[in-house]
Amino acid sequence: MYRTPIPRFMKIKALVFLMCSAVFNHLSAQSLPDHWTLDEQNHRLIIGGATDSDIFETTTIHQMDIEFSQSNWWSLLGAN
């Protein structure tokens, strides 16, 4: 089987393209905002410095009552 050789200028052009794309890809990468942290041990992204244990109380169930002024609140909810 005969293969046509790749011209030298094409090899150089491809090499330059790969090197430039690697450099520009590195330059365009963004870092995390200051209030975000990455917990690499647990593979979690923590936003605002608070973890689940800081926000939720897992041993207590709170009751929440909601009152609607319109009597057809269920129809209005379904329409939206």
Side-chain angles (χ1 to χ4, degrees):
M1 174 183 263
Y2 177 73
R3 293 177 20 182
T4 55
I6 300 173
R8 182 173 170 79
F9 74 92
M10 290 293 286
K11 290 180 184 179
I12 294 172
K13 197 175 189 181
L15 181 63
V16 168
F17 173 75
L18 289 174
M19 289 173 55
C20 288
S21 63
V23 168
F24 288 125
N25 186 30
H26 177 71
L27 292 177
S28 67
Q30 297 179 355
S31 59
L32 292 174
D34 292 336
H35 59 279
W36 290 23
T37 52
L38 182 62
D39 182 5
E40 294 184 11
Q41 183 179 4
N42 297 319
H43 305 286
R44 292 180 0 161
L45 180 63
I46 300 172
I47 301 171
T51 60
D52 291 344
S53 61
D54 297 335
I55 298 172
F56 300 108
E57 192 175 332
T58 57
T59 59
T60 305
I61 299 175
H62 296 280
Q63 180 177 338
M64 185 172 76
D65 296 319
I66 302 174
E67 294 182 16
F68 297 98
S69 59
Q70 293 124 333
S71 60
N72 64 342
W73 62 271
W74 187 254
S75 299
L76 292 171
L77 186 63
N80 288 322

